[in-house]
Amino acid sequence: MAGDVETLDWDLIFQFVSDPLEGSAIEKPWTERTEPPPFGTTFGQVPTPPESCASSPVDISSDDDDTPVFVSTTFFPSAQLQVLPPDLVLLSSDSVFFYVHQHVLLAASDNGFNSLLPLSPITDPGFVGCVVPFPEPSAELNIVLHAIYNISCAHYSPSFDSLVSALAVMNVYGISVKKYITRFAPLYNLLLFHAPLYPLELYALAASYDLYDLAVPASSHLLSFPLASLTDEMVDRIGPRYLKRLFFLHFGRSDALRRLLLPPPYSHPPTVTCNFTEQKKMTRAWALASAYFAWDARPDLSTSSMESALAPLAEEVSCEQCKLALQERLKTLIVQWSVVKVYLYTLVSGFTLKKFFQRTI
């Protein structure tokens, strides 16, 4: 029997396996048939692609796994900047995604973020938020968003040009520059950091937006700037109000220096070795040295330069009382010059240059 089994025709066995059993023919699914299905037939759920936001032509998903996606390191989906998760995605012109909150942007803007917001209520943003293309580069958008959220972006080390452009972007999108650039605000400190390198540009920027608290410290870096070299373009940017303040700062300090240099060292009672004639020599030497400063009175004159020029006068005097009087006079001069203001003055209506000079000492 075993030999008979081994000699079975295997084709016969496969024939029984391949033939369908009687009464159990395999039916085609209704989706592949040509005749209509019976009434009441239901189908399984067909997967559909997610709806795209009406305001975004960009698809943040990509079939190509090698395509890089750039997301902000501060404004990312799980950043937890607010209690609520982000519900809006801003896409910069250089393809960087910023996950933000729509209500925060609307509260900061008075023109609906240049009419980009609020989004249509019929739009279903999905779990990633609605993507809104932003026509500005990521460097400027990053500064604007940090200012709105009151976060410092100093660790990004933005350039001064980027900061200037960011302020222009804030103005276009209805964000008050004066509100977010106040004393001790993160953006205020970041702008002030560039004052030593860009004093005139920073002062003009502060003047163009009427940022007096920023213009005051910036003006202290303009004491050595020659006002005669101001261009017409820069004058237009600064405007007459802040230009007047800058001129008054220079003129006021120069006039204060002349007034401080005018009094000579005090005289002492005549002695056998030093009478009034000898004391007049020291007075004339002081007058000549002070005239040198008064002729070219610079508002940025340092106390060290003043001391190095006037201190050698004591070497020409033999009287100890005269030397002591000269040292006291020089010390008083340095103290008085150091307390003269080196920044802008607040000018009120009807304030004249003569009154200003009288208040600089």
Side-chain angles (χ1 to χ4, degrees):
M1 291 295 294
D4 295 338
V5 174
E6 292 179 358
T7 58
L8 289 176
D9 190 357
W10 288 102
D11 293 336
L12 181 61
I13 297 176
F14 287 132
Q15 179 180 357
F16 288 108
V17 175
S18 60
D19 291 340
L21 297 177
E22 183 178 358
S24 61
I26 301 177
E27 299 180 357
K28 294 183 179 180
W30 289 110
T31 55
E32 298 181 8
R33 298 185 182 184
T34 57
E35 67 273 20
F39 179 78
T41 304
T42 58
F43 303 99
Q45 184 178 2
V46 180
T48 57
E51 296 181 1
S52 176
C53 298
S55 59
S56 174
V58 181
D59 184 9
I60 62 174
S61 62
S62 176
D63 295 333
D64 188 1
D65 295 336
D66 296 334
T67 302
V69 177
F70 300 99
V71 181
S72 170
T73 56
T74 300
F75 302 95
F76 53 93
S78 58
Q80 297 182 353
L81 300 175
Q82 297 280 321
V83 177
L84 298 176
D87 58 354
L88 180 66
V89 183
L90 297 181
L91 178 61
S92 63
S93 60
D94 50 354
S95 302
V96 179
F97 293 91
F98 294 83
Y99 290 77
V100 293
H101 303 80
Q102 185 175 178
H103 70 277
V104 175
L105 302 188
L106 287 174
S109 175
D110 58 6
N111 64 356
F113 227 65
N114 200 20
S115 302
L116 291 178
L117 303 176
L119 299 176
S120 174
I122 63 175
T123 301
D124 183 13
F127 71 95
V128 295
C130 188
V131 180
V132 178
F134 198 78
E136 311 297 339
S138 59
E140 300 172 5
L141 179 57
N142 186 52
I143 297 172
V144 173
L145 293 178
H146 275 79
I148 294 176
Y149 281 82
N150 197 28
I151 305 174
S152 175
C153 60
H155 55 284
Y156 291 100
S157 300
S159 63
F160 182 75
D161 293 336
S162 297
L163 292 172
V164 174
S165 300
L167 263 61
V169 171
M170 293 175 65
N171 194 39
V172 171
Y173 288 87
I175 304 170
S176 175
V177 176
K178 296 186 68 173
K179 177 181 178 181
Y180 292 96
I181 304 182
T182 56
R183 190 172 298 180
F184 308 119
L187 190 54
Y188 171 91
N189 296 326
L190 192 57
L191 286 168
L192 195 58
F193 176 78
H194 294 274
L197 293 178
Y198 306 96
L200 184 60
E201 290 79 4
L202 181 60
Y203 183 80
L205 181 68
S208 61
Y209 293 101
D210 193 20
L211 304 174
Y212 180 78
D213 290 339
L214 182 62
V216 168
S219 64
S220 63
H221 297 274
L222 292 173
L223 297 178
S224 61
F225 181 80
L227 298 179
S229 63
L230 283 171
T231 62
D232 295 341
E233 179 184 0
M234 187 60 67
V235 169
D236 292 338
R237 289 178 56 190
I238 296 175
R241 187 178 179 184
Y242 281 85
L243 184 64
K244 177 183 178 182
R245 289 173 172 173
L246 184 59
F247 269 85
F248 273 30
L249 173 63
H250 279 238
F251 293 159
R253 282 184 58 86
S254 299
D255 184 77
L257 179 60
R258 297 187 184 97
R259 290 172 179 267
L260 294 176
L261 289 170
L262 186 60
Y266 65 87
S267 301
H268 62 82
T271 61
V272 177
T273 57
C274 185
N275 53 22
F276 286 114
T277 304
E278 293 296 328
Q279 294 182 40
K280 287 182 180 180
K281 294 181 181 179
M282 184 184 64
T283 302
R284 286 194 296 268
W286 177 270
L288 290 175
S290 60
Y292 168 77
F293 287 110
W295 178 261
D296 188 23
R298 303 195 324 269
D300 64 329
L301 180 65
S302 63
T303 55
S304 59
S305 300
M306 186 183 300
E307 184 177 7
S308 62
L310 297 177
L313 295 178
E315 300 176 0
E316 305 298 329
V317 180
S318 58
C319 178
E320 293 299 328
Q321 295 187 36
C322 290
K323 288 183 179 181
L324 182 60
L326 180 61
Q327 293 174 0
E328 291 295 331
R329 179 68 185 91
L330 182 58
K331 184 184 300 183
T332 303
L333 175 62
I334 292 175
V335 172
Q336 290 176 336
W337 179 241
S338 62
V339 298
V340 175
K341 291 186 176 181
V342 295
Y343 47 82
L344 292 183
Y345 294 76
T346 303
L347 304 181
V348 297
S349 179
F351 200 76
T352 61
L353 191 61
K354 181 178 180 180
K355 294 179 181 179
F356 174 78
F357 288 160
Q358 294 173 353
R359 294 182 56 183
T360 53
I361 299 179

